[in-house]
Amino acid sequence: MNDLKKIVIPIAGLGTRMLPATKAIPKEMLPIVNKPIIQYIVEEVLEAGFKEIIFVTHSSKSSVENHFDTSFELEAALEKRVKRALLKEIKSISKLNLVIHTIRQGEAKGLGHAILCAKSLVGKEPFGIALPDMVIKSSNKNNLTLMKTAFKKNGCSSILLGKAKKEQISKYGIVKLKKNNLVSKELKIESILEKPSLKKAPSNLFAVGRYIFRNEFMEYLSEIKPDKGGEIQLTEAIDMYLKNDNELLAFRLDGKFYDCGDKLGYLIANIEYAKEDPYLKKEILKYLKNKK
Ligand code: G1P
């Protein structure tokens, strides 16, 4: 069954890299220009044709759920003040053509554990994963759309890869690609290593935080034991999946990524999106030019 409807978005993380901003506000609700980070992610998965989002969440994250729910008071106030354009925009956020499920991750036991929390909601279906720290601006086609289309044809799990600079290698999951054979042009993953040192990194290609998995992947994830820090690592389950001869296709990121779980990435995302905002574009470009 290659019909891919569900995508898991883990949002239970505490956002310590963005403290103190995230002391009382979920990191996913920090704005890039005028939309919270999570809205960019939801728009991306919606555009790719996913129909059900599973938020793996935490008690401090109710504002994320509220953001995608109807706000009666706000809508009534905007109606009264005849703010039509704004009203339309606000209404559209809660009327997205998708179902949102939420499930709690009761313990901070890592990314792999967060995904496992969604197991019962995923059921027997294949599923996607989108990590909300990473905002992706594609230059042509939505990357998840490409991965989803391929899945429909070949039913293979896949992972999106970006190119890491030297100083970024130890922050991400780094992959080793299989040697390409002459018959197939598809890139396949041989192994993956979580946050290696530059010396141990098998390449400069890293997991950008978009994955598609056949349902069996959940069984591998269930087998993973917590690491020294008590976390169940998604990367370890992926590596085990590969060691058991399951195929994982590699997609190269088309466009740019902004790691918004990090102060610098978050600031750059704001500048880049502001440069494209119809109301801010002119002024921000002028400001940046004069700063040089
Ligand atoms: C997680 C994954 C890592 C991936 C990264 C992308 O790390 O474990 O493999 O490259 O997301 O953002 P985290 O950012 O949770 O430390």
Side-chain angles (χ1 to χ4, degrees):
M1 191 177 114
N2 297 352
D3 192 14
L4 189 53
K5 295 191 298 252
K6 298 179 179 176
I7 188 152
V8 183
I9 307 185
I11 58 168
L14 293 178
T16 46
R17 284 187 288 163
M18 295 295 270
L19 279 168
T22 48
K23 185 173 172 227
I25 298 170
K27 59 178 176 172
E28 297 79 10
M29 289 305 289
L30 296 175
I32 298 178
V33 185
N34 61 347
K35 288 193 288 188
I37 292 173
I38 193 67
Q39 197 176 328
Y40 289 85
I41 312 295
V42 167
E43 286 171 2
E44 179 195 342
V45 308
L46 187 69
E47 188 187 58
F50 286 91
K51 301 287 179 222
E52 293 180 45
I53 287 180
I54 302 168
F55 280 137
V56 180
T57 182
H58 176 266
S59 56
S60 63
K61 305 275 177 154
S62 53
S63 54
V64 175
E65 289 166 55
N66 295 344
H67 184 72
F68 295 100
D69 197 0
T70 314
S71 171
F72 294 110
E73 294 90 337
L74 181 62
E75 288 183 16
L78 293 174
E79 196 133 25
K80 214 167 152 195
R81 292 182 207 166
V82 210
K83 303 253 185 211
R84 291 211 180 89
L86 211 47
L87 179 63
K88 195 171 162 211
E89 190 178 351
I90 293 299
K91 275 190 169 172
S92 70
I93 303 170
S94 56
K95 305 241 170 333
L96 297 173
N97 185 24
L98 47 75
V99 177
I100 295 180
H101 307 276
T102 58
I103 191 152
R104 291 278 178 96
Q105 182 182 16
E107 300 158 281
K109 280 170 51 180
L111 178 58
H113 176 255
I115 306 302
L116 262 184
C117 292
K119 192 174 181 215
S120 60
L121 288 170
V122 164
K124 297 263 171 268
E125 297 178 35
F127 61 101
I129 300 175
L131 304 187
D133 281 355
M134 215 53 105
V135 173
I136 291 178
K137 180 131 64 78
S138 49
S139 39
N140 294 303
K141 226 173 177 180
N142 180 322
N143 292 275
L144 268 176
T145 307
L146 295 171
M147 292 164 75
K148 200 167 174 290
T149 311
F151 184 82
K152 198 162 188 179
K153 267 198 225 145
N154 58 27
C156 267
S157 299
S158 62
I159 183 170
L160 186 64
L161 300 178
K163 231 186 209 175
K165 296 189 188 123
K166 272 188 188 164
E167 63 276 17
Q168 293 174 318
I169 297 257
S170 61
K171 283 168 65 178
Y172 300 124
I174 307 290
V175 304
K176 182 173 180 193
L177 291 178
K178 277 191 181 165
K179 291 222 164 60
N180 238 343
N181 64 44
L182 293 171
V183 190
S184 143
K185 276 201 203 126
E186 281 168 334
L187 291 176
K188 290 179 188 155
I189 309 284
E190 186 169 310
S191 59
I192 182 164
L193 206 57
E194 183 68 5
K195 302 186 174 71
S197 62
L198 189 54
K199 240 175 151 183
K200 289 201 176 138
S203 75
N204 62 350
L205 297 172
F206 79 100
V208 197
R210 301 294 181 271
Y211 314 80
I212 284 177
F213 288 113
R214 293 171 63 84
N215 189 265
E216 305 90 90
F217 179 72
M218 278 292 187
E219 301 314 317
Y220 291 90
L221 198 49
S222 314
E223 296 289 313
I224 301 301
K225 301 274 170 293
D227 63 9
K228 277 186 232 143
E231 298 202 353
I232 294 177
Q233 295 290 351
L234 177 66
T235 301
E236 210 184 317
I238 300 176
D239 203 51
M240 212 218 289
Y241 185 70
L242 292 165
K243 289 206 165 75
N244 281 277
D245 290 332
N246 294 289
E247 268 188 348
L248 186 64
L249 298 184
F251 281 76
R252 297 274 199 141
L253 173 77
D254 168 49
K256 294 203 169 120
F257 70 88
Y258 303 104
D259 187 347
C260 293
D262 170 271
K263 290 184 187 82
L264 182 63
Y266 173 70
L267 284 174
I268 294 174
N270 266 288
I271 294 168
E272 290 306 314
Y273 278 91
K275 276 160 63 181
E276 288 184 2
D277 183 273
Y279 299 103
L280 300 175
K281 195 174 170 175
K282 214 170 128 202
E283 290 302 319
I284 199 82
L285 286 172
K286 201 162 107 191
Y287 173 78
L288 292 170
K289 202 171 156 210
N290 292 340
K291 280 277 150 199
K292 274 182 190 158

